[in-house]
Amino acid sequence: MRLTVDHVTRYHYDRPVRSVVQSHRLTPSVFAGQKTIAWEVTVTGGAQGSVFRDGAGDLVQAWTVAGPVAEVTVRVQGTVETVDLTGVLRGHKETAAPECYLRATLPTRADTALDSLARSAEGADPLALAHALSAAVADAIAYRPGVTSAHTTAAEALALGEGVCQDHAHALIAVARVRGLPGRYVSGYLFADADGQSHEAAHAWAELYLPGLGWVGFDPANRCCPDDRYIRLGSGFDAQDAAPIRGIARGGGKEEMDVTVAILQASQ
Amino acid sequence: MAQFNEMYQGTGVRPPYARLDDWVAAMPQELRSLKQAEAEALFRRIGITFAVYGEGGDPDRLIPFDMFPRVFSAAEWAKLEKGIKQRARALNAFLVDVYGRGEIIRAGRIPGRLVYQNEAYEKAVAGFVPPKGVYSHIVGIDIVRTGPDEFFVLEDNCRTPSGVSYMLESREIMMRMFPDLFRENRIEPVDGYSEKLRRTLASVAPKKCKGEPTVVILTPGHFNSAYYEHSLLADLMGVELVEGQDLFVDGEYCWMRTTEGPRRVDVIYRRIDDAYLDPLCFRPDSMLGIPGLMDVYRSGGVSICSAPGAGVADDKAVYTYVPEMVRFYLGEEPILNNVPTWQCGKADDLKYVLEKLPELVVKEVHGSGGYGMLVGPKCSRDEVERFRAKIVENPGNYIAQPTLALSSVPTFVEEGVAPRHVDLRPYCLVGERIELVPGGLTRVALKEGSLVVNSSQGGGVKDTWVLAE
């Protein structure tokens, strides 16, 4: 599937700031499931800084914007050719050891409820178990925008029984770890097809490390594995660690952020 | 328990201390009190306050200084030096390996769990090799002695070991107060440390840096307990002492604000923890660090010493495997031995530890500063039993070691001169070359019979001498 992306993030400061520094993970991952046809990231008034590929295989690009500035717009435009690999992250080069993802962070720590949810899942082999865990998370946390925030932990979302893709991903990482499977948070885009079944164009899901298969994506929010409707950007321990944009403004006022994402199927 | 006195053997005096016997005999009580007061006044005037890494306690407290030096012969030091350098090489090889292919784990020589799930393991630098393959540029190795030829490593400090200012100032003060001693004894100087440190830091400048590298020391600020040391080292090296707000990232480099405009920084000797270095990579709420620093670092625009992630090598559970690292990476037998250590997380070890608890020293895996530890033989039955309950509750959190008969060195006390237990922290510098100034910081347990030398637990410091051939 050929997908086009137009993703605009606008930061507005109520008083001009002295400077803005950002670290981006906004470039499609390099693996067998997707090929980048065209890709451009622009930052209004910004200067490109360091660029490198990190141990998890993500391309990291730094930007700086010299102030005074009251508004910064990050625009991502591009086209990606995707293939359905039923979630398998084939041909992705990385050096980070899967075992390091067995470490819990604050949002992915398992409490007793997550622990028992994890133990309720059954599977004859790791792959079946992973599917069962993903289904268990989807059953336990209903999709409902607006009830959770960026700081909600997996345990809190499970207690609420509601949440968004970020909460599903955190919860799946938490339950996978309980069962000894390394899990990580993946950020990317999702093409919402005509039947309206998919959620959230700026999307997140989880990858679990399965012996023999390597990293495999699971999207509890949509009860599936990532296919050719998905574009993968980067990964991390949790939402904050995998954030496509991490930034900080110095010497200024309050920040407001506004995001629009349009994912369309390109005409051939 | 037979204790090794480093000066007196029966009625004889061991050769390195030969001249100190007359020195102390010729010093009447009044003069000694006078000198002690003078030393204290000097320390107070310099304003040196001190806390060994992670020890906590009152940051403005003066650490007691004992005038009786601790002495090594040239031969003793030669062996120690070889052992320390060997260990520093192995620890750095380990760090490069575990952020790379992890051969030592693949080979089954150390459990992956201890490394990859360690709090101090930084995924953010996986796959990154710092300049010259060095993660830990200043390795502080804590060593104890139990006999003429028996030395053991208690722990390694691979991040930012502190205390070197005490090594430098103790020497300075001793030379001022007792110039005769330094004429009568051929004592190796330690004042080359700052130049060696500067050279070490400059030698790991990033490839992109052309010409003489700009080195800075990054401090959390004057409220930090080791601030005196940060400013002393900056002074001695002739480099800027900066806080996070003095640095910023622009383009592919890190810059320092100066009155003549921005100046590029090539090497940062940081005295702040990984978590606070860069809010865009680690703790987002950190105000101490420099936003974007880790991106510049990972793309080769600046060097950070010690390298982020170095802490995974000095964890108390990883410590057990350092001799294995020496064999694995260097193909050598360790010159310095570890203290035998039982991991309470292992069922067999736990059983042994609980059986022998009153004889053992038990420490928390992540603890430091002599807090939260049990010294079995020094504790009451009740204390031992209370500690037993804590171990049983969370065995993985504890390691145990035999109670070592730490060597003692004569020390000035109320009643005159008496033996007190000591340890040693030398500071090994690792850059293009591996260097070590002869000596280090000797800590002394001032309480009679105490085996805990930490300043937070009533420890003091001594000048440490290495005699020339």
Side-chain angles (χ1 to χ4, degrees):
Chain A
M1 197 181 276
R2 184 166 285 207
L3 300 173
T4 65
V5 174
D6 191 357
H7 170 199
V8 179
T9 311
R10 205 174 59 92
Y11 298 87
H12 180 80
Y13 305 95
D14 63 355
R15 279 182 292 127
V17 294
R18 203 168 62 224
S19 69
V20 175
V21 184
Q22 292 187 338
S23 184
H24 291 177
R25 257 192 211 91
L26 278 173
T27 310
S29 310
V30 179
F31 74 105
Q34 57 192 30
K35 195 175 124 199
T36 303
I37 308 296
W39 200 262
E40 191 186 23
V41 179
T42 54
V43 179
T44 52
Q48 279 196 15
S50 322
V51 60
F52 61 96
R53 207 168 277 286
D54 72 6
D58 301 337
L59 193 77
V60 179
Q61 168 76 62
W63 287 86
T64 47
V65 182
V69 60
E71 197 170 294
V72 174
T73 302
V74 179
R75 184 163 192 182
V76 185
Q77 288 173 288
T79 307
V80 178
E81 183 78 45
T82 59
V83 182
D84 181 4
L85 295 180
T86 60
V88 180
L89 188 65
R90 205 170 69 211
H92 187 247
K93 285 206 183 86
E94 56 183 296
T95 44
E99 248 192 290
C100 74
Y101 295 94
L102 282 170
R103 221 164 90 194
T105 62
L106 185 65
T108 65
R109 191 154 287 137
D111 63 350
T112 45
L114 280 162
D115 195 84
S116 42
L117 183 67
R119 292 180 202 288
S120 73
E122 283 172 35
D125 55 56
L127 180 61
L129 175 64
H131 279 290
L133 289 166
S134 185
V137 166
D139 291 343
I141 302 174
Y143 178 78
R144 190 170 159 212
V147 290
T148 55
S149 78
H151 303 291
T152 304
T153 66
E156 289 163 353
L158 180 61
L160 281 168
E162 295 174 327
V164 292
C165 60
Q166 172 176 316
D167 306 305
H168 286 116
H170 282 158
L172 180 50
I173 294 165
V175 294
R177 186 184 325 102
V178 172
R179 301 297 297 266
L181 296 176
R184 68 184 176 191
Y185 192 97
V186 181
S187 53
Y189 301 113
L190 171 59
F191 169 56
D193 47 16
D195 68 356
Q197 287 302 299
S198 303
H199 306 299
E200 300 167 282
H203 197 49
W205 56 96
E207 279 172 356
L208 307 186
Y209 191 82
L210 306 176
L213 283 173
W215 289 105
V216 181
F218 292 87
D219 181 6
N222 291 294
R223 295 181 180 273
C224 68
C225 287
D227 52 28
D228 54 357
R229 296 168 300 152
Y230 290 70
I231 297 172
R232 185 188 191 278
L233 291 178
S235 69
F237 288 130
D238 51 33
Q240 179 186 289
D241 193 37
I245 302 176
R246 275 182 87 161
I248 201 163
R250 280 277 160 103
K254 256 181 39 202
E255 175 185 289
E256 269 177 54
M257 195 179 76
D258 173 57
V259 184
T260 61
V261 186
I263 312 294
L264 297 169
Q265 188 165 8
S267 43
Q268 296 290 318
Chain B
M1 211 167 353
Q3 277 160 5
F4 178 65
N5 187 314
E6 295 193 8
M7 179 162 174
Y8 296 108
Q9 292 290 290
T11 53
V13 175
R14 291 182 62 249
Y17 285 87
R19 286 169 189 271
L20 287 172
D21 198 30
D22 300 336
W23 173 70
V24 70
M27 190 166 8
Q29 172 70 32
E30 308 83 69
L31 179 62
R32 176 166 84 72
S33 306
L34 222 60
K35 287 284 185 191
Q36 191 71 50
E38 188 187 341
E40 245 166 65
L42 284 170
F43 270 107
R44 230 173 254 290
R45 194 176 321 149
I46 315 170
I48 188 169
T49 57
F50 170 74
V52 171
Y53 186 75
E55 277 196 352
D58 175 7
D60 292 326
R61 197 172 34 125
L62 202 62
I63 306 302
F65 172 70
D66 179 68
M67 298 183 298
F68 207 111
R70 198 257 183 103
V71 192
F72 291 106
S73 71
E76 285 171 341
W77 182 255
K79 186 187 163 188
L80 275 175
E81 181 176 1
K82 266 176 86 175
I84 291 160
K85 287 182 173 174
Q86 178 192 55
R87 200 156 167 118
R89 283 206 327 270
L91 288 164
N92 272 292
F94 170 75
L95 285 162
V96 171
D97 184 27
V98 297
Y99 287 108
R101 283 183 44 81
E103 301 290 358
I104 197 165
I105 294 155
R106 288 167 198 252
R109 308 280 278 271
I110 173 167
R113 176 182 52 83
L114 288 185
V115 176
Y116 296 128
Q117 293 181 54
N118 197 302
E119 289 282 330
Y121 186 84
E122 302 290 8
K123 170 182 68 72
V125 296
F128 178 77
V129 183
K132 307 284 189 308
V134 181
Y135 267 84
S136 179
H137 307 82
I138 299 111
V139 189
I141 297 181
D142 291 350
I143 297 172
V144 294
R145 182 176 199 176
T146 58
D149 207 28
E150 283 85 51
F151 293 90
F152 293 95
V153 174
L154 266 190
E155 64 179 56
D156 307 289
N157 298 275
C158 294
R159 301 171 221 207
T160 53
S162 60
V164 79
S165 54
Y166 251 83
M167 171 184 88
L168 298 171
E169 298 291 16
S170 301
R171 174 61 55 85
E172 183 95 21
I173 283 168
M174 283 298 284
M175 289 177 74
R176 246 163 98 173
M177 292 197 309
F178 303 105
D180 292 351
L181 271 184
F182 289 82
R183 274 192 292 273
E184 290 158 15
N185 291 279
R186 294 182 54 219
I187 302 158
E188 296 275 10
V190 295
D191 59 0
Y193 179 80
S194 55
E195 177 50 25
K196 286 191 167 70
L197 175 61
R198 197 200 57 78
R199 216 159 52 206
T200 299
L201 295 170
S203 78
V204 296
K207 278 208 192 81
K208 282 198 217 168
C209 163
K210 306 283 177 235
E212 190 58 30
T214 300
V215 176
V216 298
I217 299 184
L218 174 62
T219 175
H222 62 272
F223 51 84
N224 183 272
S225 58
Y227 183 75
Y228 171 80
E229 179 159 303
H230 308 160
S231 62
L232 176 75
L233 290 175
D235 268 2
L236 291 175
M237 289 197 288
V239 306
E240 294 292 331
L241 178 65
V242 299
E243 297 182 24
Q245 62 200 18
D246 301 324
L247 301 181
F248 65 98
V249 162
D250 188 32
E252 295 173 25
Y253 297 101
C254 177
W255 305 81
M256 165 168 52
R257 296 177 219 280
T258 76
T259 48
E260 290 110 54
R263 180 167 165 206
R264 207 175 95 187
V265 170
D266 302 299
V267 181
I268 300 175
Y269 174 28
R270 52 78 177 248
R271 299 289 299 250
I272 66 179
D273 291 346
D274 287 2
Y276 299 98
L277 275 177
D278 177 0
L280 297 192
C281 186
F282 302 117
R283 282 180 66 149
D285 57 342
S286 167
M287 300 300 289
L288 299 175
I290 302 106
L293 180 67
M294 285 301 289
D295 285 355
V296 174
Y297 171 68
R298 290 181 292 178
S299 59
V302 70
S303 294
I304 303 176
C305 307
S306 61
V312 71
D314 66 18
D315 175 274
K316 286 198 179 68
V318 170
Y319 155 88
T320 323
Y321 295 89
V322 179
E324 206 50 35
M325 294 176 199
V326 172
R327 292 183 196 105
F328 188 78
Y329 297 112
L330 310 179
E332 300 170 7
E333 271 307 303
I335 298 165
L336 289 173
N337 287 313
N338 267 12
V339 180
T341 301
W342 296 278
Q343 315 258 356
C344 299
K346 291 185 189 165
D348 284 355
D349 286 15
L350 178 64
K351 187 165 170 276
Y352 179 86
V353 169
L354 294 177
E355 261 169 39
K356 304 274 182 190
L357 202 52
E359 298 164 29
L360 302 175
V361 174
V362 187
K363 299 177 185 171
E364 291 182 17
V365 172
H366 296 290
S368 67
Y371 292 107
M373 65 187 270
L374 173 88
V375 182
K378 303 272 172 209
C379 288
S380 71
R381 246 187 116 99
D382 264 13
E383 287 170 310
V384 171
E385 288 318 304
R386 253 177 284 144
F387 212 89
R388 182 190 303 276
K390 290 207 287 191
I391 299 171
V392 171
E393 196 178 306
N394 185 8
N397 194 36
Y398 296 93
I399 55 153
Q401 296 172 335
T403 309
L404 295 179
L406 299 195
S407 64
S408 62
V409 172
T411 299
F412 291 114
V413 296
E414 287 285 316
E415 317 81 64
V417 175
R420 290 290 183 270
H421 297 296
V422 292
D423 81 347
L424 175 72
R425 175 182 287 186
Y427 300 85
C428 186
L429 299 171
V430 190
E432 198 161 39
R433 300 191 290 175
I434 300 198
E435 300 191 89
L436 192 60
V437 296
L441 173 67
T442 291
R443 296 188 295 181
V444 52
L446 293 173
K447 276 185 242 163
E448 190 176 0
S450 171
L451 294 171
V452 186
V453 296
N454 303 73
S455 63
S456 51
Q457 311 282 317
V461 299
K462 282 173 172 290
D463 189 17
T464 310
W465 294 0
V466 173
L467 300 182
E469 293 277 2

